Amino acid sequence: GSPYRSVVAVGVFALSALVTYNVAAMAHGHSTASTLGHHMDSHISHLDDKHDAFSFEPHVVARAGVGRSGHPRHAVKGARVGLEGHGHAGVSTHRHRRDDRVEVAGGVEGAEKNVPKVENVQDATADAFHATETSALLLRREKARGTFHVLLTANDAPYQRWQSRVMYYQYEKLRREHPNSALGGFTRILHSGHPDGLMDEIPTKIVDTLPPTVRDDGYVVLHRPYAFKQWLERFANDLEEEYVLMSEPDHLFVAPPPLLATRDTAVAFPFFYIAPNDPKFAPIVERFNEVRAPKEAFKPIGSSPVMIHLDALKRVVPKWHELAVAMKRDKEADAAFGWVVEMWAYSIASAQVGVVHETIKHFMLQPPYDKSMNVDGEEAYIVHYTYGDDYDKNGRFTPGVNQGAADLKNEGGVALRQARLHEPRAEEGGAHPPAGERGGGDSEDDRDHSRGDGRAPELGALTRARRVA
């Protein structure tokens, strides 16, 4: 029995020792594994931070943006340098890394809600670029204060191109000679719908012709209000000057006009044949006077030359375009106003929208009626050089008394033969526009040739059908 008890005791001791050893080993092993695990987790977390230095995931952006302005550019910068991942700027340390991803601003969803997403960086960059451009434009506008921008409407007909070149040349010449004048920028609004050969010579913006639903019936001036309407919609916001001068190709600057217009009052030239208060025209005008504007609101003006504030122009143009089309379609108005119906439309439109115009006689000269470069002692600024000359059937000059082309033709063209312009001699140089090249533009000369009334094109500037002046 005794040997047996001894063996059992030895076995129990050995088993106890083994258990003790295993427990100790397990305890030691757990501690080592825990330490190693924590060590490895630390390294993995560190490597994860390095990965985050180039990451654009929302949780990274959220952490990077904490404590900053919230601007996406700051968030990206923080994420790239990886500083916040190492305990900076209020971001949790490595031991709580997984927690800090959901603790910032209410979790990842909260972070995305409160911090701009990085995919909006392009938008932010575009906004910054736009802000820079806007600031630059404001600076240019400040520099342009006290000046006006010349707006010339034209198409691409040969005669129009020639007139446009002459006008722009004279404008540039005066601008060089008078650097401190109110002459600002210059834009040709080309309403042909496509480029022409002057794009590199004259600053130009291209707009479309009238849509197919609006027929001009050969009256090309109907495109003019629509051209301004498109220019305002597409290009006006980039303009540096507050004021514009609406002009036509047959207007030649002879002196730089000062800034005559104000924010509240536009300035225009008075045309004696635009008479809205004339009793014989009043019934027609009243039919288009939708707002019942008073008589004194209607001025004897057309759309050119007009110096006007840009805000006022934006008010007038839509109504001007609408009325020009409507009045051209109206048989009574078209018969009464003829080739100047677009000018009447501008006068009526201005009264409808409440834009006040002051008339200045020396704004423009119209030879041969003006005999000098001054009007009532005031120096003129523009010469309208295609103003119509009127002749009777014997070829005698009758200023202001229009004989009508039909009268000339009925008399066998006697006046035409007696008053024909001769071809320029070699020593004179230059040439007048060839027959057939005068149509298709904005000037009065072009208005006449667009009528398609069968007149001989060689009448040119000698006679004007339906012209009263």
Side-chain angles (χ1 to χ4, degrees):
S2 178
Y4 176 77
R5 286 195 297 269
S6 297
V7 170
V8 171
V10 170
V12 170
F13 174 79
L15 181 61
S16 299
L18 181 61
V19 170
T20 302
Y21 174 80
N22 286 332
V23 170
M26 289 175 62
H28 178 71
H30 175 77
S31 175
T32 302
S34 178
T35 302
L36 179 60
H38 178 73
H39 183 64
M40 291 178 66
D41 183 69
S42 177
H43 278 281
I44 291 172
S45 181
H46 179 68
L47 291 173
D48 198 12
D49 277 341
K50 288 185 176 293
H51 166 73
D52 283 352
F54 302 94
S55 174
F56 295 109
E57 296 177 19
H59 69 270
V60 178
V61 177
R63 289 191 304 110
V66 174
R68 291 177 175 268
S69 67
H71 192 283
R73 185 172 297 172
H74 293 157
V76 173
K77 182 178 180 182
R80 287 193 172 180
V81 298
L83 293 177
E84 287 75 0
H86 293 276
H88 294 270
V91 179
S92 301
T93 60
H94 299 309
R95 285 176 296 177
H96 302 285
R97 177 172 176 76
R98 289 178 176 79
D99 291 333
D100 72 24
R101 294 189 179 188
V102 297
E103 290 174 356
V104 175
V108 173
E109 293 182 1
E112 291 177 334
K113 186 183 301 182
N114 291 282
V115 180
K117 292 185 178 181
V118 177
E119 52 259 37
N120 291 331
V121 169
Q122 283 186 333
D123 293 339
T125 303
D127 289 343
F129 178 78
H130 178 71
T132 302
E133 287 290 295
T134 301
S135 298
L137 178 60
L138 290 175
L139 289 174
R140 293 196 302 272
R141 284 178 175 171
E142 182 62 30
K143 186 178 180 181
R145 189 179 297 276
T147 64
F148 60 86
H149 194 98
V150 179
L151 294 176
L152 163 68
T153 51
N155 66 18
D156 61 346
Y159 189 30
Q160 284 283 289
R161 295 201 302 270
W162 179 83
Q163 288 180 316
S164 299
R165 296 184 72 190
V166 171
M167 181 185 183
Y168 184 64
Y169 172 85
Q170 184 68 6
Y171 154 84
E172 283 283 87
K173 181 174 180 289
L174 287 178
R175 202 178 184 200
R176 289 193 302 269
E177 294 173 350
H178 303 273
N180 297 320
S181 73
L183 287 173
F186 187 105
T187 297
R188 179 182 61 144
I189 304 175
L190 181 62
H191 53 77
S192 61
H194 54 76
D196 66 1
L198 300 180
M199 303 300 295
D200 295 331
E201 182 176 339
I202 304 175
T204 299
K205 298 295 185 184
I206 300 173
V207 296
D208 297 323
T209 58
L210 284 167
T213 54
V214 181
R215 293 171 38 229
D216 63 16
D217 294 330
Y219 182 62
V220 294
V221 192
L222 201 59
H223 295 260
R224 178 173 164 82
Y226 186 58
F228 273 105
K229 183 174 183 291
Q230 294 175 85
W231 179 84
L232 285 171
E233 293 169 351
R234 301 181 192 177
F235 306 110
N237 289 339
D238 296 327
L239 198 69
E240 297 176 6
E241 298 87 353
E242 288 185 84
Y243 298 87
V244 299
L245 173 62
M246 296 194 290
S247 189
E248 297 184 21
D250 58 352
H251 292 177
L252 188 69
F253 288 108
V254 291
L259 183 58
L260 300 167
T262 67
R263 180 177 288 273
D264 300 321
T265 305
V267 170
F269 177 78
F271 294 92
F272 72 85
Y273 50 83
I274 306 295
N277 295 317
D278 188 317
K280 66 181 177 182
F281 297 132
I284 302 175
V285 172
E286 196 59 30
R287 282 201 293 112
F288 294 97
N289 183 14
E290 298 174 353
V291 302
R292 298 295 179 260
K295 287 180 58 176
E296 56 270 18
F298 296 89
K299 297 298 178 70
I301 60 174
S303 61
S304 177
V306 169
M307 188 180 294
I308 187 170
H309 192 275
L310 195 58
D311 291 342
L313 184 64
K314 291 176 180 178
R315 291 162 55 196
V316 175
V317 166
K319 194 64 179 178
W320 173 31
H321 168 61
E322 175 191 322
L323 285 177
V325 174
M327 293 172 70
K328 181 62 182 172
R329 296 289 172 269
D330 186 276
K331 291 183 178 180
E332 186 182 9
D334 188 40
F337 305 140
W339 62 270
V340 292
V341 66
E342 164 265 331
M343 299 172 69
W344 280 82
Y346 183 87
S347 175
I348 298 173
S350 299
Q352 298 303 287
V353 299
V355 173
V356 178
H357 288 70
E358 177 186 350
T359 58
I360 297 180
K361 290 182 178 180
H362 63 279
F363 204 171
M364 185 169 69
L365 298 173
Q366 303 196 97
Y369 306 101
D370 292 300
K371 305 298 183 183
S372 71
M373 301 300 290
N374 296 278
V375 178
D376 297 334
E378 297 284 349
E379 182 183 24
Y381 306 119
I382 297 170
V383 171
H384 180 195
Y385 62 83
T386 61
Y387 199 77
D389 297 343
D390 297 303
Y391 294 81
D392 66 11
K393 62 182 180 179
N394 297 313
R396 185 172 59 249
F397 180 51
T398 58
V401 182
N402 181 258
Q403 304 296 322
D407 293 337
L408 291 175
K409 285 189 247 186
N410 290 338
E411 294 297 330
V414 175
L416 174 61
R417 290 196 298 272
Q418 293 184 1
R420 184 189 299 273
L421 292 177
H422 67 81
E423 293 293 330
R425 294 184 293 273
E427 61 269 21
E428 291 176 342
H432 60 272
E437 289 193 0
R438 293 172 177 154
D442 289 329
S443 67
E444 292 178 1
D445 200 38
D446 296 312
R447 299 175 208 223
D448 297 325
H449 288 273
S450 69
R451 291 180 60 246
D453 57 3
R455 285 187 304 134
E458 60 265 34
L459 284 172
L462 298 180
T463 58
R464 293 293 180 266
R466 298 169 69 179
R467 171 167 283 155
V468 295

